[in-house]
Amino acid sequence: MAVVTSAVLIAACGSSSGSSGAAAAGDKPFAGQTLIFGGGQADANESIMGAMAAKFKEETGADVQFIGGSAPDNLSKLLAAKGRSTPPFDAVFLDSTTQPAAAQAGLIQQVDYKTALQSYSQFPGTGFPTQGYGPGYFLIRLGTCYNTEVYKQLGLNPPTSLDDWFDPKLQGRVALPDTTNFYWGAAMPAIAKNYNIPLDDPAALMSKFRDIHAQTLFTSSSDAQQRLQTGQVAMTTLTDGRCLALKLAGQPVDLAPVNVVADGKTYPYINFVDTVDIVTGSPKTELAKKFIDMYTSSTALMPYIQKTGYVPARQDVYAEAKQDPKLAPYYGAFDSATDLYTPDMTAFLAHQAAWIDAWNNNVKQGG
């Protein structure tokens, strides 16, 4: 994932002068304020913030300063600033792999979102991955992204389950996420559940991954995408948006389900959620609530959804997306997050250090 380190002030164009401008500002309690948002990758920011900036300015009188990064990067920045009088952000993008850690460390505010958000009723229960903390804006389906041409060359049928990751014919032709890539944290507890491997004993799963002889352990999702579309690797794990964006652009790739078996049910994809939270210590809590309402809305998200096929967390936005004939085939029978396997990230967090050590000692270093 590309990381943007510069700060960008996103403000609506236009001007006003004289008494009418003063009156307009007086009607907006947040006029003249700037909300600092610790966001994600550049392409998502340009689309989402570009779509909502003018409306947010019109309704609140406030601007938004975007600081690009990633969920792990944003968590690191919050941890580094803990205890300081002023946090680095007012609102922050995290995900369901990093939000529990941020909550446990007291870095994000626990809020009664039922009263804080006008859009609260549009979020299913899984729309709030960590109880009491910020909502999701995208439900991310993590699956197998594979190069259709390479699979044909290897004489392989399209992948249909996690077992296909470990096919001997794919040795040396697989790209796996490394521990610093958030796909790793989302995938490991789900894969452990599928193979009935307890979270306190990762050794058996590590041996399976070691035998793949992965071509690369990627930290950047862009690296995996590049290797996949050029045929250097036959398959990798990618989010639906990244994989389907390649397909929508005409690349010979497709997204296949992993079919996680858990507690007697089969789930086609692993679910993790991109979230947005209010940062502890921010003096702009009320403005941040309005920001979250709009950031999760159709106004903000639909332009990016049309480029990527991501699933919005809000039910009203998803209903709109499913009406788009270009997007409908990429959603299929998927109806809600209950159709996806959502790992218990709080439980995994308690064992994560041991999993990282096991991965580094067995997979990264070859055992």
Side-chain angles (χ1 to χ4, degrees), residues 213-258:
H213 300 292
Q215 183 183 117
T216 185
L217 301 177
F218 62 86
T219 57
S220 167
S221 306
S222 298
D223 177 38
Q225 286 178 274
Q226 180 65 25
R227 290 173 185 261
L228 185 70
Q229 64 189 15
T230 59
Q232 291 175 265
V233 298
M235 62 82 69
T236 187
T237 181
L238 284 178
T239 61
D240 49 356
R242 282 190 172 271
C243 188
L244 294 176
L246 293 175
K247 183 176 181 179
L248 286 165
Q251 296 294 329
V253 303
D254 207 352
L255 181 69
V258 289

Tab-separated table of all heavy atoms in Angstrom, residues 213-258:
chain	number	residue	atom	x	y	z
A	213	HIS	N	6.982	-22.227	0.052
A	213	HIS	CA	8.169	-21.599	-0.549
A	213	HIS	C	7.747	-20.345	-1.319
A	213	HIS	O	7.974	-20.217	-2.528
A	213	HIS	CB	8.906	-22.571	-1.473
A	213	HIS	CG	9.379	-23.811	-0.778
A	213	HIS	ND1	10.375	-23.800	0.178
A	213	HIS	CD2	8.972	-25.108	-0.876
A	213	HIS	CE1	10.574	-25.029	0.625
A	213	HIS	NE2	9.734	-25.843	0.010
A	214	ALA	N	7.115	-19.435	-0.600
A	214	ALA	CA	6.583	-18.219	-1.217
A	214	ALA	C	7.663	-17.468	-1.976
A	214	ALA	O	8.812	-17.365	-1.524
A	214	ALA	CB	5.980	-17.317	-0.146
A	215	GLN	N	7.283	-16.945	-3.142
A	215	GLN	CA	8.228	-16.156	-3.933
A	215	GLN	C	8.597	-14.873	-3.207
A	215	GLN	O	9.728	-14.408	-3.278
A	215	GLN	CB	7.606	-15.818	-5.296
A	215	GLN	CG	8.531	-15.057	-6.214
A	215	GLN	CD	7.864	-14.684	-7.524
A	215	GLN	OE1	7.693	-13.510	-7.834
A	215	GLN	NE2	7.474	-15.690	-8.306
A	216	THR	N	7.628	-14.303	-2.502
A	216	THR	CA	7.880	-13.072	-1.756
A	216	THR	C	6.939	-12.992	-0.569
A	216	THR	O	5.827	-13.534	-0.606
A	216	THR	CB	7.693	-11.831	-2.653
A	216	THR	OG1	8.051	-10.653	-1.923
A	216	THR	CG2	6.256	-11.690	-3.118
A	217	LEU	N	7.404	-12.341	0.476
A	217	LEU	CA	6.566	-11.960	1.610
A	217	LEU	C	6.441	-10.445	1.521
A	217	LEU	O	7.369	-9.718	1.844
A	217	LEU	CB	7.207	-12.385	2.934
A	217	LEU	CG	7.492	-13.882	3.104
A	217	LEU	CD1	8.185	-14.143	4.440
A	217	LEU	CD2	6.206	-14.700	3.005
A	218	PHE	N	5.300	-9.984	1.065
A	218	PHE	CA	5.185	-8.569	0.730
A	218	PHE	C	4.733	-7.728	1.919
A	218	PHE	O	3.940	-8.156	2.748
A	218	PHE	CB	4.252	-8.359	-0.463
A	218	PHE	CG	2.814	-8.792	-0.266
A	218	PHE	CD1	1.883	-7.938	0.305
A	218	PHE	CD2	2.391	-10.048	-0.687
A	218	PHE	CE1	0.556	-8.323	0.466
A	218	PHE	CE2	1.067	-10.453	-0.531
A	218	PHE	CZ	0.149	-9.590	0.051
A	219	THR	N	5.306	-6.545	1.982
A	219	THR	CA	4.841	-5.545	2.942
A	219	THR	C	3.902	-4.562	2.260
A	219	THR	O	3.018	-3.998	2.893
A	219	THR	CB	6.024	-4.782	3.560
A	219	THR	OG1	6.788	-4.174	2.514
A	219	THR	CG2	6.928	-5.730	4.334
A	220	SER	N	4.091	-4.372	0.966
A	220	SER	CA	3.253	-3.463	0.189
A	220	SER	C	2.309	-4.262	-0.700
A	220	SER	O	2.751	-5.120	-1.477
A	220	SER	CB	4.125	-2.553	-0.679
A	220	SER	OG	3.342	-1.878	-1.647
A	221	SER	N	1.028	-3.982	-0.600
A	221	SER	CA	0.046	-4.652	-1.452
A	221	SER	C	0.296	-4.347	-2.923
A	221	SER	O	-0.001	-5.168	-3.795
A	221	SER	CB	-1.365	-4.211	-1.069
A	221	SER	OG	-1.598	-4.398	0.305
A	222	SER	N	0.847	-3.182	-3.205
A	222	SER	CA	1.143	-2.818	-4.594
A	222	SER	C	2.165	-3.765	-5.208
A	222	SER	O	2.104	-4.078	-6.401
A	222	SER	CB	1.659	-1.373	-4.657
A	222	SER	OG	0.680	-0.470	-4.198
A	223	ASP	N	3.115	-4.230	-4.403
A	223	ASP	CA	4.107	-5.196	-4.881
A	223	ASP	C	3.424	-6.499	-5.291
A	223	ASP	O	3.713	-7.068	-6.348
A	223	ASP	CB	5.147	-5.454	-3.790
A	223	ASP	CG	6.163	-6.515	-4.189
A	223	ASP	OD1	6.564	-6.555	-5.365
A	223	ASP	OD2	6.561	-7.314	-3.311
A	224	ALA	N	2.488	-6.960	-4.457
A	224	ALA	CA	1.763	-8.187	-4.785
A	224	ALA	C	0.945	-8.014	-6.056
A	224	ALA	O	0.903	-8.911	-6.914
A	224	ALA	CB	0.857	-8.578	-3.617
A	225	GLN	N	0.297	-6.871	-6.205
A	225	GLN	CA	-0.488	-6.607	-7.409
A	225	GLN	C	0.388	-6.639	-8.656
A	225	GLN	O	0.010	-7.218	-9.681
A	225	GLN	CB	-1.169	-5.242	-7.299
A	225	GLN	CG	-2.345	-5.193	-6.356
A	225	GLN	CD	-2.923	-3.797	-6.277
A	225	GLN	OE1	-2.469	-2.973	-5.499
A	225	GLN	NE2	-3.928	-3.522	-7.075
A	226	GLN	N	1.547	-6.003	-8.577
A	226	GLN	CA	2.438	-5.943	-9.727
A	226	GLN	C	2.909	-7.331	-10.131
A	226	GLN	O	2.906	-7.691	-11.316
A	226	GLN	CB	3.638	-5.042	-9.410
A	226	GLN	CG	4.651	-4.908	-10.537
A	226	GLN	CD	4.084	-4.217	-11.768
A	226	GLN	OE1	3.135	-3.442	-11.672
A	226	GLN	NE2	4.657	-4.501	-12.928
A	227	ARG	N	3.314	-8.139	-9.163
A	227	ARG	CA	3.773	-9.499	-9.466
A	227	ARG	C	2.647	-10.345	-10.046
A	227	ARG	O	2.866	-11.189	-10.916
A	227	ARG	CB	4.319	-10.157	-8.196
A	227	ARG	CG	5.639	-9.576	-7.702
A	227	ARG	CD	6.015	-10.162	-6.351
A	227	ARG	NE	7.202	-9.548	-5.792
A	227	ARG	CZ	8.428	-10.071	-5.856
A	227	ARG	NH1	8.614	-11.231	-6.456
A	227	ARG	NH2	9.461	-9.447	-5.322
A	228	LEU	N	1.430	-10.112	-9.563
A	228	LEU	CA	0.294	-10.903	-10.025
A	228	LEU	C	-0.073	-10.565	-11.465
A	228	LEU	O	-0.234	-11.458	-12.305
A	228	LEU	CB	-0.903	-10.661	-9.106
A	228	LEU	CG	-2.134	-11.516	-9.389
A	228	LEU	CD1	-1.871	-12.967	-9.010
A	228	LEU	CD2	-3.341	-10.980	-8.622
A	229	GLN	N	-0.192	-9.292	-11.776
A	229	GLN	CA	-0.655	-8.929	-13.113
A	229	GLN	C	0.397	-9.183	-14.183
A	229	GLN	O	0.059	-9.347	-15.362
A	229	GLN	CB	-1.132	-7.480	-13.144
A	229	GLN	CG	-0.091	-6.435	-12.863
A	229	GLN	CD	-0.715	-5.044	-12.702
A	229	GLN	OE1	-1.913	-4.899	-12.529
A	229	GLN	NE2	0.102	-4.017	-12.766
A	230	THR	N	1.686	-9.264	-13.787
A	230	THR	CA	2.732	-9.591	-14.755
A	230	THR	C	2.981	-11.092	-14.855
A	230	THR	O	3.778	-11.529	-15.687
A	230	THR	CB	4.054	-8.895	-14.381
A	230	THR	OG1	4.456	-9.307	-13.070
A	230	THR	CG2	3.904	-7.386	-14.422
A	231	GLY	N	2.315	-11.875	-14.003
A	231	GLY	CA	2.463	-13.319	-14.060
A	231	GLY	C	3.647	-13.867	-13.297
A	231	GLY	O	3.937	-15.068	-13.387
A	232	GLN	N	4.356	-13.020	-12.548
A	232	GLN	CA	5.466	-13.526	-11.738
A	232	GLN	C	4.972	-14.500	-10.676
A	232	GLN	O	5.653	-15.467	-10.342
A	232	GLN	CB	6.208	-12.367	-11.067
A	232	GLN	CG	6.985	-11.479	-12.005
A	232	GLN	CD	7.592	-10.297	-11.268
A	232	GLN	OE1	7.024	-9.212	-11.219
A	232	GLN	NE2	8.749	-10.516	-10.684
A	233	VAL	N	3.793	-14.201	-10.120
A	233	VAL	CA	3.162	-15.136	-9.196
A	233	VAL	C	1.810	-15.526	-9.762
A	233	VAL	O	1.199	-14.786	-10.548
A	233	VAL	CB	2.997	-14.541	-7.773
A	233	VAL	CG1	4.346	-14.219	-7.168
A	233	VAL	CG2	2.081	-13.331	-7.777
A	234	ALA	N	1.353	-16.699	-9.371
A	234	ALA	CA	0.062	-17.191	-9.850
A	234	ALA	C	-1.074	-16.723	-8.967
A	234	ALA	O	-2.196	-16.508	-9.448
A	234	ALA	CB	0.072	-18.718	-9.909
A	235	MET	N	-0.800	-16.578	-7.674
A	235	MET	CA	-1.859	-16.164	-6.765
A	235	MET	C	-1.284	-15.463	-5.552
A	235	MET	O	-0.113	-15.607	-5.214
A	235	MET	CB	-2.705	-17.364	-6.327
A	235	MET	CG	-1.970	-18.449	-5.547
A	235	MET	SD	-1.750	-18.128	-3.769
A	235	MET	CE	-3.423	-18.265	-3.203
A	236	THR	N	-2.159	-14.697	-4.926
A	236	THR	CA	-1.843	-14.021	-3.678
A	236	THR	C	-3.161	-13.789	-2.956
A	236	THR	O	-4.231	-14.150	-3.457
A	236	THR	CB	-1.102	-12.698	-3.921
A	236	THR	OG1	-0.674	-12.146	-2.671
A	236	THR	CG2	-1.987	-11.686	-4.636
A	237	THR	N	-3.088	-13.201	-1.781
A	237	THR	CA	-4.315	-12.776	-1.118
A	237	THR	C	-4.399	-11.262	-1.201
A	237	THR	O	-3.432	-10.558	-0.912
A	237	THR	CB	-4.370	-13.251	0.349
A	237	THR	OG1	-5.602	-12.829	0.923
A	237	THR	CG2	-3.211	-12.721	1.167
A	238	LEU	N	-5.542	-10.783	-1.684
A	238	LEU	CA	-5.774	-9.348	-1.810
A	238	LEU	C	-7.199	-9.037	-1.384
A	238	LEU	O	-8.068	-9.913	-1.380
A	238	LEU	CB	-5.579	-8.878	-3.255
A	238	LEU	CG	-4.161	-8.730	-3.803
A	238	LEU	CD1	-4.224	-8.309	-5.267
A	238	LEU	CD2	-3.349	-7.717	-3.003
A	239	THR	N	-7.422	-7.788	-1.066
A	239	THR	CA	-8.783	-7.353	-0.795
A	239	THR	C	-9.584	-7.356	-2.087
A	239	THR	O	-9.035	-7.280	-3.189
A	239	THR	CB	-8.798	-5.938	-0.209
A	239	THR	OG1	-8.230	-5.028	-1.165
A	239	THR	CG2	-7.996	-5.874	1.084
A	240	ASP	N	-10.906	-7.430	-1.915
A	240	ASP	CA	-11.775	-7.413	-3.087
A	240	ASP	C	-11.550	-6.166	-3.930
A	240	ASP	O	-11.468	-6.234	-5.158
A	240	ASP	CB	-13.245	-7.530	-2.679
A	240	ASP	CG	-13.658	-6.561	-1.570
A	240	ASP	OD1	-12.795	-5.824	-1.047
A	240	ASP	OD2	-14.852	-6.556	-1.209
A	241	GLY	N	-11.409	-5.010	-3.281
A	241	GLY	CA	-11.241	-3.773	-4.032
A	241	GLY	C	-9.980	-3.755	-4.865
A	241	GLY	O	-9.992	-3.322	-6.023
A	242	ARG	N	-8.873	-4.225	-4.304
A	242	ARG	CA	-7.612	-4.226	-5.056
A	242	ARG	C	-7.655	-5.239	-6.195
A	242	ARG	O	-7.189	-4.970	-7.302
A	242	ARG	CB	-6.439	-4.509	-4.122
A	242	ARG	CG	-6.020	-3.295	-3.302
A	242	ARG	CD	-4.712	-3.535	-2.577
A	242	ARG	NE	-4.215	-2.317	-1.959
A	242	ARG	CZ	-3.416	-1.436	-2.543
A	242	ARG	NH1	-3.032	-1.633	-3.792
A	242	ARG	NH2	-2.998	-0.361	-1.912
A	243	CYS	N	-8.201	-6.421	-5.932
A	243	CYS	CA	-8.249	-7.447	-6.967
A	243	CYS	C	-9.240	-7.073	-8.071
A	243	CYS	O	-8.926	-7.150	-9.263
A	243	CYS	CB	-8.633	-8.788	-6.340
A	243	CYS	SG	-8.511	-10.196	-7.478
A	244	LEU	N	-10.437	-6.644	-7.673
A	244	LEU	CA	-11.454	-6.320	-8.668
A	244	LEU	C	-11.106	-5.063	-9.456
A	244	LEU	O	-11.509	-4.925	-10.614
A	244	LEU	CB	-12.814	-6.175	-7.990
A	244	LEU	CG	-13.375	-7.471	-7.390
A	244	LEU	CD1	-14.676	-7.205	-6.654
A	244	LEU	CD2	-13.579	-8.536	-8.467
A	245	ALA	N	-10.342	-4.152	-8.838
A	245	ALA	CA	-9.903	-2.972	-9.584
A	245	ALA	C	-9.011	-3.387	-10.751
A	245	ALA	O	-9.088	-2.807	-11.846
A	245	ALA	CB	-9.163	-2.009	-8.662
A	246	LEU	N	-8.164	-4.400	-10.536
A	246	LEU	CA	-7.341	-4.919	-11.628
A	246	LEU	C	-8.213	-5.549	-12.707
A	246	LEU	O	-8.007	-5.342	-13.907
A	246	LEU	CB	-6.345	-5.952	-11.097
A	246	LEU	CG	-5.241	-5.447	-10.164
A	246	LEU	CD1	-4.423	-6.621	-9.638
A	246	LEU	CD2	-4.333	-4.449	-10.881
A	247	LYS	N	-9.201	-6.326	-12.275
A	247	LYS	CA	-10.094	-6.972	-13.239
A	247	LYS	C	-10.901	-5.933	-14.015
A	247	LYS	O	-11.053	-6.038	-15.244
A	247	LYS	CB	-11.034	-7.937	-12.515
A	247	LYS	CG	-11.948	-8.713	-13.449
A	247	LYS	CD	-12.798	-9.719	-12.694
A	247	LYS	CE	-13.696	-10.499	-13.656
A	247	LYS	NZ	-14.522	-11.512	-12.949
A	248	LEU	N	-11.411	-4.932	-13.306
A	248	LEU	CA	-12.178	-3.877	-13.967
A	248	LEU	C	-11.321	-3.109	-14.975
A	248	LEU	O	-11.840	-2.550	-15.943
A	248	LEU	CB	-12.750	-2.917	-12.924
A	248	LEU	CG	-13.933	-3.447	-12.096
A	248	LEU	CD1	-14.164	-2.572	-10.873
A	248	LEU	CD2	-15.192	-3.525	-12.943
A	249	ALA	N	-10.004	-3.096	-14.730
A	249	ALA	CA	-9.083	-2.410	-15.642
A	249	ALA	C	-8.617	-3.315	-16.784
A	249	ALA	O	-7.779	-2.909	-17.592
A	249	ALA	CB	-7.872	-1.898	-14.863
A	250	GLY	N	-9.132	-4.546	-16.846
A	250	GLY	CA	-8.824	-5.435	-17.956
A	250	GLY	C	-7.651	-6.372	-17.742
A	250	GLY	O	-7.210	-7.034	-18.688
A	251	GLN	N	-7.136	-6.461	-16.514
A	251	GLN	CA	-6.029	-7.369	-16.239
A	251	GLN	C	-6.545	-8.813	-16.126
A	251	GLN	O	-7.695	-9.041	-15.740
A	251	GLN	CB	-5.326	-6.970	-14.942
A	251	GLN	CG	-4.656	-5.612	-14.993
A	251	GLN	CD	-3.496	-5.566	-15.973
A	251	GLN	OE1	-2.817	-6.568	-16.192
A	251	GLN	NE2	-3.275	-4.409	-16.574
A	252	PRO	N	-5.690	-9.819	-16.436
A	252	PRO	CA	-6.130	-11.223	-16.404
A	252	PRO	C	-6.133	-11.791	-14.986
A	252	PRO	O	-5.414	-12.745	-14.670
A	252	PRO	CB	-5.086	-11.922	-17.281
A	252	PRO	CG	-3.835	-11.131	-17.050
A	252	PRO	CD	-4.297	-9.695	-16.921
A	253	VAL	N	-6.914	-11.192	-14.124
A	253	VAL	CA	-6.991	-11.650	-12.739
A	253	VAL	C	-8.453	-11.799	-12.339
A	253	VAL	O	-9.350	-11.224	-12.959
A	253	VAL	CB	-6.280	-10.684	-11.762
A	253	VAL	CG1	-4.825	-10.489	-12.139
A	253	VAL	CG2	-6.996	-9.345	-11.694
A	254	ASP	N	-8.671	-12.571	-11.284
A	254	ASP	CA	-10.024	-12.724	-10.758
A	254	ASP	C	-9.940	-12.981	-9.264
A	254	ASP	O	-8.893	-13.399	-8.746
A	254	ASP	CB	-10.756	-13.874	-11.452
A	254	ASP	CG	-12.273	-13.678	-11.448
A	254	ASP	OD1	-12.757	-12.740	-10.775
A	254	ASP	OD2	-12.967	-14.456	-12.124
A	255	LEU	N	-11.044	-12.726	-8.582
A	255	LEU	CA	-11.140	-12.935	-7.144
A	255	LEU	C	-11.896	-14.230	-6.891
A	255	LEU	O	-12.988	-14.440	-7.429
A	255	LEU	CB	-11.875	-11.770	-6.485
A	255	LEU	CG	-12.033	-11.834	-4.960
A	255	LEU	CD1	-10.687	-11.646	-4.273
A	255	LEU	CD2	-13.027	-10.768	-4.483
A	256	ALA	N	-11.307	-15.107	-6.089
A	256	ALA	CA	-11.930	-16.390	-5.775
A	256	ALA	C	-12.156	-16.494	-4.273
A	256	ALA	O	-11.384	-15.956	-3.475
A	256	ALA	CB	-11.042	-17.544	-6.241
A	257	PRO	N	-13.203	-17.205	-3.857
A	257	PRO	CA	-13.469	-17.357	-2.428
A	257	PRO	C	-12.452	-18.273	-1.757
A	257	PRO	O	-11.843	-19.132	-2.403
A	257	PRO	CB	-14.868	-17.973	-2.395
A	257	PRO	CG	-14.985	-18.702	-3.696
A	257	PRO	CD	-14.216	-17.882	-4.689
A	258	VAL	N	-12.277	-18.078	-0.456
A	258	VAL	CA	-11.394	-18.949	0.324
A	258	VAL	C	-12.191	-19.981	1.108
A	258	VAL	O	-11.644	-20.974	1.581
A	258	VAL	CB	-10.501	-18.135	1.279
A	258	VAL	CG1	-9.450	-17.367	0.504
A	258	VAL	CG2	-11.325	-17.192	2.149
